[in-house]
Structure formats: C-alpha cells, structure tokens
Amino acid sequence: MSFLELEDVQTYYGESHVLQGVTLDVEEQEIVALIGRNGVGKTTTLRSILQLTPPREGTIRYKGEEIGGKDTHEVSNDGIGWVPEERRMFGYLTVEENIRVAVKPDDDFEAQREYVYSLFPALDEFSEKEARNLSGGQQQMLAIARGMVGQNELLLVDEPSEGLAPMIVDQVVDALETASEDTTMVLVEQNFPLAMELADRFYLIDHGTVVESGSTEGVTADDERIRRYLSA
Amino acid sequence: MPIELATEVPLVIETLERLFQPSTIARIIVEGLGKAAVYFVLAVGLTLVFGLMGVLNFTHGAMAMLGAYIGGLVMVLSVSDGTDALVRIALFMVVLAVVFALLTGFGSAFEYSLIRPIYDRTPMYQILLTFGVALILEEVTRIVVLSQGIQPEPPWSGAMGTAPAVFTERYDILGAPIRGLYAFEIVLGIVAVVGVWLFLNRTLYGLYIRAGSEDPEMVEALGIDVRQAFTIVFGLGTGLAGIGGVLLMWDPLWGPSALLAIDVLLYAFVVVIIGGLGSFKGTVVAAILVGIADSFTTWLFATGIVTFTGLPELTIFGLLVIMLIIRPQGLYGVEEVGGH
C-alpha cells in the first residue's frame, strides 16, 4: 500500500476531458514531480486529489483510505496541504493571520506559529504585514508555510518557482527541502532541472495521462523520452 | 425662466448663514449619525453576505420588514399606556434579541434549503430566487397584516406609538431641538459597529469570513467548511437586517410597513455600493456619508429653503450615481470580490 495512490483517475471541466486515466503512486517521505507541458493536466491532478475538481471516475487512496467523494475541507483535515499556483495569499490578511487560517482549530496555534517561523525566520519579521505587500519570494515562503501547518503529512505544491527571480528560487528550493523533511510531497514544476533536483521520482504527463515515469537520478532534459513530450 | 439674482443671492447667503449656526450643525450631525447608525445596521448584513458568498441578497429588505413587524407585534402586545419608559426600552432590547435569533435561524434555513442548491449556477439564478422570495414575503406579509386589521401601508402607527416619550420628545442640543430617538439609535449603532468589528477581527470565525471573502476555495482547501460558513453568515446577515427593521419600527420617517421590503433594500444597496461591496469599513463610512447627506437635505426641506419633497432620496441616489461613475468599486471595495 502506497502513501498516495491514484488509479485510472478521469476528471472533466464541463465536457472537457482533462485527466484521461491518471495512475500513479507516492511513497511516504518521497518527493514526486509531475512534469509536462502547459495544459496537460498536472494542476488538475492536484485539484482532483483535493476534490476541488472531483474526478468522475477512478479511485484516489490516501494512507489506504478512499478519499474520492469527500469534501475538500475533509480531505484537507485528513492531512493534505496545498501550495497553489500563483500562491493565492489572503492579501488583506497579515502574515500571521494567513498562518492562523491554516492552523486547525484544535491545534496549538502558538506551537505551529513558532514551528513555521523557525523554518522561515523572514516571515516572523513581517508577521504584522498584509500579505499583498510582501515580495513574490516572501509570498511563496508564506504559501509553503501555510501548507505545512495543520499537521499535514502530504503537501501538494504547484509551480513554486513561477515568476520568481533565480536568487529567490534558491530560497524557495531551500524552503521546500526543509518542508520535505517532515512531509511527503507531490510537486508540479515547469522548471525541469529544478524538478529533477528536488524530486526522487517523476511522472511525465501528456494529454491527461501518464506517459513516462521513473527515478529522477541522472535524468536530463536532453533525454529522448523527456524531450519528445516537453518540447513545444 | 431667468434666474433673478436680486432674490436668489440673498437666499443663498441666508441659507449659508443658517447652515453654519451651531444649532443647525448640531442638528444635521446628530440626526445624520442617528440615520447613519440605522443605515449601517441595515447594510452590513448585505455586505457580509456579498463579500463572502458573492450573493446579492434581494430578500434583505423583506427581512427588515419582517423584523419591523415582529418587533411591532411584540411591543403592541406587551405595552400599555401606563408602561414605564424603562420597561419599554428593556422590552425593545429583548425584541432585538428575539428578532435577531428568529431571523438568523430563518436566514440560515433559507440559505441551506434554497440558495445552496444553486451555487454552481450563474449569479442570475441567485438574484431571481432572492427577488422572488422577497416578493412572496412582502405579499404574504400584506395578507397577514390585513387579516389582522392593520393596513400594510402607510406605516403601522400602533407599533410606532409604543415608543417611550423619552424618544419622541425633542431635546435642546446647542439650541437645536433633536428627537431623543436619534441619540438612542447612535448608541445602538456604535454597539453594532463594535460588535460586528469584534466578530470579524477578534474571532476565529471572523478570520475565516475575511479570508473567505478573498478566496473561498483556498479557505476550503485549508480545512474549513466554507458551505457551513456561508449558511452561518447568511443567517447572521438576515438577523442584522431584522435588527435594522426593529430600529425602524419607532422611526417617525419609517415605521413598520410593507414598503420597507423595497425601500430598505434600496438604501442598503446604496450604502453597500458607495462603501464598496464586501467592505466593512466602507459600510461604516458610507452609512455616515449617506446619513449626513440625508440629514442635511431633510433640514433644507424642513426649513422651507427647498420645497421639493424628494430631495433626500434624490441626493442619496445622486451620490450613488456619482460613485458608480468615478469609482465603481466604491470607497473601500476591491475591483473583484465575492466567491462565485
């Protein structure tokens, strides 16, 4: 039994058949990268796991339990965190309030806050600042921190390096590596070298289905099986 | 017709002289703040519901109408000529709590049973549904009150007559005769502003609501049951509309009537749009602006300077039009709010 298992997941947006039978599995403490061109279904795979866009067919098991059909907040409360594309901060809330929203009501907020501030000291410095006034890199830190609180054991991370300067990307990589010490991670990332650097294994998605998979060890963008699907 | 400067200029000068007298300023400010307090209570529920849920709730005025009638009913049944002023005020406070509880429950049930099934449809469905329910509530109210021998319009004088003398009498403030009710409304308005602010800013649920106003899907993905929050907020918004209706019950310019269903809705929308849809701060500021504008134009009419009876309404809706032209998102609104 894997930590997370997707089996023949079929997801639609209206009549548009986006995921056409995605099957993959993730082991505990692994980082698994989903790679592929724009619009092939990577983000939809994450949204399907969270039941934000519930699949019409197929099964999704998390720690052995079928989570298909649950509400998103129930899936989240099972321990699945989300670091969405474009970060989606609550811009008019402070950094601390953004973290407060993510901490489960029964959890110790003080302890959770200290935990994320110890991982990301820069956030402590800006704790009273509204999130919309943070830089892109700071917002990404906050998005990762927000995904990590709430006792999450699985983190779904979508395009963490998008729109960030190279120097800031290095900080984000450090943050993700820190996060991965405590959580299992599914990473969607357009930056191929970055995805290979961070992940243990990869799944290459094309037209809503997995076309290649394997260890990231030694894989480069020049690899023929990768180049065929990633080139425009 | 040519303007006769010989008569117009002295009139303007005289008006300005009267306007800047302390008694006039005191009257406009106190009455304006009294009106602002009521407008705030009437509008804040509407803005909370739109901010979190993106639902334009056209039943809001009808809920205020129900609040005014329920409040009036309880007061008429409980109060006699000999009832002391303090007892009347205490009863009024009980009525506020009862109406708030009743309408919060009613609003929650309404959201759960009728609005929730159509969230996935276009906003037009929510507008048509709430507008239709508002019409039904208004007509049913007309039938019920008529069956009890009460005319649905003009306002129910029996209920208005339960106000204690301390609120109907006028008191001298800086030489201006000001009705006691306005001071009471100001106090209740301050309590309402502080109460709603504390709820939004000092409670966990308030934090969820503020976050949900920006991105309800993200809030749901963080483990919060947003649908449940929708039900609670819609209920609270309806309860606040009911409280607003109770405040109107004793107001000599309003009073319980079937007309409240539309009139209140219009005023609430004006305040919400001027302040910015979904903005608490905007609602407070806009309520004060509209209240003062209303008070000023009422003074112009009352003193005979202007004889056009519709001046207060014209001014308030003029403010709305100006705001829509120069700043469509309102004073404190963002360009896109609402979850749907």
Side-chain angles (χ1 to χ4, degrees), chain A residues 120-138:
Chain A
F120 309 113
L123 293 180
D124 194 3
E125 196 180 326
F126 302 117
S127 63
E128 294 306 316
K129 206 169 174 180
E130 286 186 352
R132 66 193 166 122
N133 296 325
L134 299 179
S135 69
Q138 290 164 344

Side-chain angles (χ1 to χ4, degrees), chain A residues 31-34 42-43 46 82-87 136-144 155-166 168-177 185-191 194-195 198:
Chain A
I31 301 180
V32 170
L34 306 183
K42 305 185 298 294
T43 294
L46 300 190
W82 185 35
V83 181
E85 198 174 9
E86 296 172 352
R87 305 181 272 276
Q138 290 164 344
Q139 286 193 356
Q140 191 64 65
M141 298 289 174
L142 179 55
I144 294 167
L155 201 52
L156 309 177
V157 184
D158 200 352
E159 303 285 7
S161 71
E162 189 181 32
L164 299 180
I168 306 299
V169 170
D170 290 342
Q171 294 175 20
V172 170
V173 168
D174 290 344
L176 288 173
E177 283 177 338
M185 201 178 290
V186 177
L187 173 70
V188 167
E189 180 54 62
Q190 285 282 347
N191 181 336
L194 177 63
L198 276 169

Side-chain angles (χ1 to χ4, degrees), chain A residues 47 52 71-73 76-77 82 84 88-93 97 100-102 104-105 146, chain B residues 201 204 207-208 210-212 214-226 333-334:
Chain A
R47 291 182 62 86
L52 286 166
D71 288 335
T72 297
H73 69 273
S76 170
N77 289 329
W82 185 35
R88 292 174 66 171
M89 294 295 89
F90 304 117
Y92 289 87
L93 303 190
E97 286 174 329
R100 186 74 186 86
V101 174
K104 307 287 184 273
R146 201 174 57 175
Chain B
N201 292 282
L204 191 54
L207 180 63
Y208 295 160
R210 287 190 292 136
E214 292 193 46
D215 191 341
E217 185 181 78
M218 192 66 228
V219 171
E220 176 83 16
L222 291 172
I224 294 139
D225 186 349
V226 167
V334 288

Side-chain angles (χ1 to χ4, degrees), chain B residues 112-289:
Chain B
Y112 187 82
S113 58
L114 292 178
I115 298 180
R116 186 176 281 205
I118 59 168
Y119 277 131
D120 294 335
R121 301 193 190 177
T122 64
M124 183 55 73
Y125 281 85
Q126 295 152 16
I127 291 171
L128 290 174
L129 173 76
T130 56
F131 194 66
V133 170
L135 291 177
I136 291 168
L137 288 173
E138 183 185 339
E139 291 310 311
V140 169
T141 302
R142 283 177 185 275
I143 292 167
V144 170
V145 298
L146 269 173
S147 73
Q148 299 303 309
I150 302 163
Q151 291 296 319
E153 53 186 280
W156 183 15
S157 57
M160 297 168 79
T162 61
V166 68
F167 290 162
T168 55
E169 287 169 2
R170 293 179 181 274
Y171 299 89
D172 190 298
I173 298 180
L174 294 174
I178 293 171
R179 200 182 288 267
L181 180 66
Y182 288 117
F184 183 59
E185 287 175 343
I186 291 170
V187 171
L188 290 182
I190 291 169
V191 170
V193 170
V194 172
V196 175
W197 187 88
L198 286 174
F199 172 68
L200 288 175
N201 292 282
R202 291 288 182 267
T203 69
L204 191 54
Y205 221 83
L207 180 63
Y208 295 160
I209 289 168
R210 287 190 292 136
S213 297
E214 292 193 46
D215 191 341
E217 185 181 78
M218 192 66 228
V219 171
E220 176 83 16
L222 291 172
I224 294 139
D225 186 349
V226 167
R227 289 284 166 105
Q228 186 188 61
F230 284 5
T231 304
I232 291 170
V233 167
F234 197 92
L236 290 175
T238 305
L240 285 165
I243 284 185
V246 178
L247 289 180
L248 295 178
M249 177 185 69
W250 281 347
D251 194 310
L253 298 177
W254 296 82
S257 94
L259 298 173
L260 290 183
I262 293 298
D263 290 349
V264 163
L265 186 67
L266 291 176
Y267 273 78
F269 266 123
V270 168
V271 170
V272 166
I273 292 169
I274 290 176
L277 284 161
S279 167
F280 170 78
K281 186 163 67 174
T283 305
V284 175
V285 174
I288 292 172
L289 271 179

